[in-house]
Amino acid sequence: MSKQRVVLVTGGMGGLGESISKKMEQAGYRLAVTYSPGNTKHAEWVAENKREGFDVLAVACDVSDYDSCAKAVAEVQAKLGPVDVLVNNAGITRDMTFKKMDKVNWSAVMNTNLDSMFNMSKQVVDGMVERGWGRVINVSSVNGSKGAFGQTNYSAAKAGVHGFTKALALEVAKKGVTVNTISPGYIGTKMVTAIPKEVLDTKILPQIPVGRLGKPEEVAGLILYLASDEAAFVTGANIAINGGQHMQ
Ligand code: CAA
C-alpha cells in the first residue's frame, strides 16, 4: 500500500467481522469497526484486543438507521481520515418459516441487511469517487443465491445486496472505485452454530461437498484481496465462498 488506507468494517467485532478486522489490521490498514448500540461488551473487546497490540477504533452504529450511520462515519473520518475501504458486513438472522414470519421479523432483517447497504455506502462513496480510489465490499450469503428453508427475509435481503452491488459498480466503475459482493456459505460462526444441531447435521452439512463449515479466516482472505490494488479489474462480481455447496 502506498499509504495506510482506512478500512471500516460494520459489525467488525462479530463472528465473521472480527476475522475480517484482524486480517485487515495485520495487513497494515488503519481500522475502524462498528458495533451495534446494544453491544454491552464492546469496551471489554476493545481493551482486550488493544492489550494484544491490535489497533482499532470502535464506534457505535445502528446500520439500519441512516442518521446513526452518518454520525458513526463522521467520527471515523474525523479520527482516522477518509474511508478507503468499506466492508458492509453487519447482518442478522430471524429464521422462521414463512408461515410463522411476521412483519417485525421481516423488516428487522431487511433493514439491517439491505437498507444498511444504502445507509453506509452513502456516507463514503462520493469521497471515494472524488479521490479516484475506493473499495466497497458487500457481504451477502449463499442463501441470497440459492434460497434457504426458514429464510424468506434473509434470502430476499441478501439477494438484494447483489442487485445493489451491480448497480453501484456500474455508476462508479470509471472512477477507480470497485463494488463487489461476496457470498459466504456456512462458516463456523455463532450465527451458524445457533442453527439446531439436528438441522445442521442432517440438512446442511451433507450439502457441502468440502465436508465442513468454512473458516472465518478464509472469508477474510478473500476480502483482503478484493480491497487490494491487484483487484482493480474485479467489479460488480459476486464471489461465492461456500465449499462447493452452490455452484453458479
Ligand atoms: N430443509 C427441509 N426441511 C426443513 C429444513 C430444511 N433446511 N429445516 C426444517 N425443515 C422441516 C423440518 O424437518 C420439519 O418438517 P416436518 O414438519 O415434516 O417434521 C419442519 O420443517 C419444521 O417446521 P417448523 O416451522 O415447525 O420449524 P421450526 O420452527 O422448528 O424451525 C427453522 C424451522 C427455523 C427454519 C429451523 O429449521 C432452522 O433454524 N433452520 C436453519 C435455517 C438456516 O439454514 N439458517 C441459516 C443460518 S446461517 C446464515 O444465515 C449464514 C449464511 O449466510 C449461510
Side-chain angles (χ1 to χ4, degrees):
M1 267 185 281
S2 52
K3 69 171 179 74
Q4 270 207 318
R5 287 186 173 135
V6 174
V7 59
L8 173 57
V9 182
T10 66
M13 290 182 190
L16 207 48
E18 183 172 29
S19 270
I20 298 166
S21 305
K22 291 198 165 159
K23 180 85 84 187
M24 301 298 280
E25 197 264 358
Q26 281 158 8
Y29 286 84
R30 306 184 74 202
L31 171 70
V33 300
T34 72
Y35 60 89
S36 113
N39 180 345
T40 52
K41 299 239 166 84
H42 65 91
E44 212 177 295
W45 185 91
V46 169
E48 192 182 314
N49 281 287
K50 284 209 164 150
R51 273 197 296 278
E52 291 165 15
F54 178 61
D55 194 11
V56 59
L57 169 67
V59 293
C61 179
D62 174 358
V63 296
S64 71
D65 180 280
Y66 185 85
D67 293 339
S68 175
C69 294
K71 191 163 164 260
V73 175
E75 184 181 340
V76 171
Q77 308 217 110
K79 291 185 174 155
L80 298 187
V83 173
D84 300 297
V85 180
L86 170 66
V87 183
N88 278 317
N89 163 74
I92 58 168
T93 53
R94 293 285 184 274
D95 294 353
M96 57 201 75
T97 53
F98 184 65
K99 192 176 172 58
K100 292 182 179 170
M101 192 171 297
D102 58 15
K103 184 69 167 68
V104 171
N105 286 301
W106 170 266
S107 297
V109 170
M110 295 306 284
N111 296 341
T112 300
N113 296 7
L114 183 57
D115 287 13
S116 59
M117 298 292 136
F118 176 82
N119 295 343
M120 288 300 300
S121 306
K122 190 73 187 159
Q123 315 304 330
V124 300
V125 168
D126 285 353
M128 291 176 178
V129 166
E130 275 160 31
R131 295 188 302 280
W133 200 95
R135 300 280 183 267
V136 179
I137 302 164
N138 298 324
V139 179
S140 177
S141 163
V142 63
N143 293 340
S145 309
K146 76 168 204 28
F149 195 103
Q151 288 198 311
T152 48
N153 50 4
Y154 188 87
S155 298
K158 292 297 192 181
V161 165
H162 191 50
F164 172 80
T165 290
K166 290 187 285 187
L168 183 58
L170 282 173
E171 293 186 19
V172 297
K174 285 211 168 67
K175 308 290 183 186
V177 180
T178 68
V179 187
N180 288 290
T181 301
I182 66 155
S183 287
Y186 286 72
I187 311 296
T189 63
K190 240 192 324 189
M191 189 182 270
V192 168
T193 50
I195 298 171
K197 185 169 171 7
E198 202 263 332
V199 174
L200 193 61
D201 289 347
T202 63
K203 302 269 193 319
I204 293 167
L205 280 170
Q207 294 174 7
I208 306 176
V210 168
R212 62 168 173 86
L213 297 177
K215 298 178 187 157
E217 315 83 82
E218 292 169 330
V219 177
L222 175 58
I223 290 188
L224 186 63
Y225 165 69
L226 287 173
S228 70
D229 285 316
E230 289 76 10
F233 205 54
V234 183
T235 197
N238 183 0
I239 302 181
I241 174 161
N242 63 34
Q245 185 184 357
H246 184 62
M247 302 182 186
Q248 287 176 319

